[in-house]
Amino acid sequence: MATVRRLSVVSEAELAQEPEVHALEEETAGLLQVGQLAKIVGKTVRAIHLYEDLGLLRPAERSKGRFRLYEKDAIERVRWISKLQAAGFSLPELREILKEHESTPTAKEAARRLARAYQAKLREVENKLRELRRIERELGASLAYLEACESACDEHVTSGSCPSCDRHRDRPAPPALVLGAFAQ
Amino acid sequence: MATVRRLSVVSEAELAQEPEVHALEEETAGLLQVGQLAKIVGKTVRAIHLYEDLGLLRPAERSKGRFRLYEKDAIERVRWISKLQAAGFSLPELREILKEHESTPTAKEAARRLARAYQAKLREVENKLRELRRIERELGASLAYLEACESACDEHVTSGSCPSCDRHRDRPAPPALVLGAFAQ
DNA sequence: ACCAACTCTCACCTGTACGTAAGAGTTAGT
DNA sequence: ACTAACTCTTACGTACAGGTGAGAGTTGGT
């Protein structure tokens, strides 16, 4: 009978299914192997390694055989990376934030600098939000127009005539996202 | 006196400054050179060339010397590319849309297919909007917390104690985006 | 001792969207 | 004809965020 040695860490979206044969030694010591950390935060081992190469994350220690062992705060750190990545920071940019941070002696000054970086990015995020909302509207308008084609158009009509279509009620001009596709 | 031969096309954001020495021959013919097109849509010539390589854009014709000459609808096409890029489409994905489109004989069917692609992307855009709004909130909360440090913190405090800070009124837990930076 | 699962360190590969430069040719005004 | 500005093709380079694989070593249960 092969008792499988399996690092069972509950991933973010996983139904309880494994019989949980053995608790892990590193888990009991409160430390995580790279694969466990990766599973918890939903990243690959490769990604975790990359973050380390870029100076974003360090294992608390290594096992005798040089296995990386992480404290729980590494989970926070990786989630921090993921969120700010989604906010538009590149990994090198995040490294800059951490470096600036580590080289700042007082907490107050560190807070000021972090605030400055976040402030600038908040403005970018707000701009991106405006852009995406505009695109959301345009996609919606295009979908409405395209669904109207279903009843307004005939099977024998070719797409060449779409840019100058007059079959829709009130003859609206096709939205830009429709025109752009049919143009040329 | 050197009368400069300058393709003066008004770029998106440009104050009226050039004396507009000469109107262009191609402009009068209603056709645009690649540099003019690029300036109008705020892209580089290289980008326009790339779009052509990827099958997203074709010049209406070429001059005797093989200069690309574009109709005005190329402007629409490039703007279509830019918007859908911002929506999250890659250039190869846009090529797929156009290919599918060109290979579809009837306008009605083409409309259906375009609608399907837009529908899927609209859902992605909505997800991204949700994510960005969440990040916007988290950045805002972090900024509020960090600004409170300004009055709550002392100069001699080092950043190592930030994760367990108790100097803020009501002793709130630091937001995740603050913790992640100070962790480790 | 043995084995499965896990991890290690290179190191090269992928896709996306261009940037940049070189060397040659074109266009139109003078 | 000369020239400045523009364009052509080709091709290599860049930044980002990992993916993939090789070959070797580690860990812990049986």
Side-chain angles (χ1 to χ4, degrees):
Chain A
M1 188 212 277
T3 308
V4 183
R5 181 188 166 251
R6 178 80 156 289
L7 297 185
S8 45
V9 174
V10 190
S11 73
E12 306 243 304
E14 183 181 10
L15 306 174
Q17 44 186 10
E18 301 275 325
E20 185 90 15
V21 182
H22 275 287
L24 275 293
E25 85 295 358
E26 292 306 350
E27 194 185 326
T28 61
L31 294 177
L32 299 167
Q33 287 188 198
V34 64
Q36 298 177 291
L37 174 59
K39 199 167 188 183
I40 289 173
V41 298
K43 296 272 171 182
T44 64
V45 170
R46 174 64 171 115
I48 305 289
H49 285 165
L50 177 65
Y51 299 160
E52 184 174 344
D53 285 349
L54 297 181
L56 299 179
L57 182 66
R58 270 175 322 119
E61 43 181 298
R62 296 271 192 146
S63 73
K64 283 166 290 181
R66 298 198 42 76
F67 280 25
R68 291 168 178 82
L69 299 175
Y70 296 92
E71 301 270 8
K72 304 263 164 158
D73 62 1
I75 299 173
E76 283 306 310
R77 175 59 65 90
V78 178
R79 290 193 173 137
W80 177 82
I81 294 171
S82 298
K83 285 177 186 172
L84 290 184
Q85 251 188 316
F89 284 95
S90 72
L91 298 183
E93 280 172 337
L94 292 181
R95 179 175 122 270
E96 284 309 305
I97 289 187
L98 291 182
K99 247 176 54 185
E100 194 179 49
H101 206 276
E102 288 158 10
S103 68
T104 305
T106 81
K108 223 171 162 177
E109 181 57 23
R112 269 194 287 265
R113 295 185 178 202
L114 190 58
R116 260 195 290 280
Y118 281 4
Q119 206 123 49
K121 193 55 71 173
L122 178 55
R123 273 190 287 274
E124 286 179 40
V125 167
E126 282 163 353
N127 286 335
K128 188 69 183 172
L129 274 170
R130 270 187 284 277
E131 186 183 22
L132 280 184
R133 276 193 280 259
R134 206 171 41 75
I135 288 171
E136 183 188 27
R137 276 200 311 276
E138 290 203 47
L139 280 175
S142 297
L143 283 172
Y145 184 91
L146 290 172
E147 274 163 36
C149 298
E150 198 59 38
S151 54
C153 197
D154 267 339
E155 290 295 348
H156 62 82
V157 178
T158 62
S159 18
S161 49
C162 287
S164 58
C165 179
D166 62 350
R167 296 169 165 270
H168 290 243
R169 74 162 53 241
D170 301 336
R171 307 184 179 215
L177 290 186
V178 173
L179 267 187
F182 285 79
Q184 296 219 57
Chain B
M1 188 213 276
T3 309
V4 183
R5 182 189 166 248
R6 178 78 157 287
L7 297 183
S8 45
V9 173
V10 190
S11 72
E12 307 241 304
E14 185 180 9
L15 306 173
Q17 44 186 9
E18 301 275 327
E20 186 91 12
V21 183
H22 274 290
L24 275 295
E25 85 293 0
E26 294 305 350
E27 194 185 325
T28 61
L31 294 177
L32 299 166
Q33 287 188 200
V34 64
Q36 298 176 292
L37 174 59
K39 200 167 187 184
I40 289 173
V41 299
K43 297 272 171 182
T44 64
V45 170
R46 174 65 172 110
I48 305 289
H49 285 166
L50 177 66
Y51 300 160
E52 183 174 344
D53 285 349
L54 296 181
L56 299 179
L57 183 65
R58 270 175 323 119
E61 43 181 299
R62 297 271 192 145
S63 74
K64 284 166 288 180
R66 297 196 45 75
F67 280 25
R68 292 168 177 82
L69 300 175
Y70 297 91
E71 301 270 10
K72 304 262 165 158
D73 62 2
I75 300 172
E76 283 306 310
R77 175 58 65 90
V78 177
R79 290 192 173 136
W80 176 82
I81 294 171
S82 298
K83 284 177 186 172
L84 291 184
Q85 251 188 315
F89 284 95
S90 71
L91 298 183
E93 280 173 337
L94 292 181
R95 180 175 121 270
E96 284 309 305
I97 289 186
L98 291 182
K99 247 175 54 186
E100 195 179 48
H101 207 278
E102 289 158 10
S103 69
T104 305
T106 80
K108 222 170 162 178
E109 181 57 23
R112 269 193 287 266
R113 293 184 180 202
L114 189 59
R116 261 195 289 280
Y118 281 5
Q119 206 124 48
K121 193 55 72 174
L122 178 55
R123 273 189 287 274
E124 286 178 39
V125 167
E126 283 162 353
N127 286 335
K128 188 68 182 174
L129 275 170
R130 269 188 284 277
E131 186 182 21
L132 280 185
R133 275 192 279 259
R134 206 170 42 74
I135 289 172
E136 183 188 26
R137 276 200 311 275
E138 289 203 48
L139 280 176
S142 297
L143 283 173
Y145 183 91
L146 290 172
E147 274 163 36
C149 297
E150 198 60 37
S151 55
C153 196
D154 268 339
E155 289 294 348
H156 61 81
V157 178
T158 61
S159 19
S161 49
C162 288
S164 57
C165 179
D166 62 349
R167 295 167 166 272
H168 289 243
R169 74 161 52 243
D170 302 336
R171 307 182 179 215
L177 290 186
V178 174
L179 267 187
F182 285 79
Q184 295 220 61

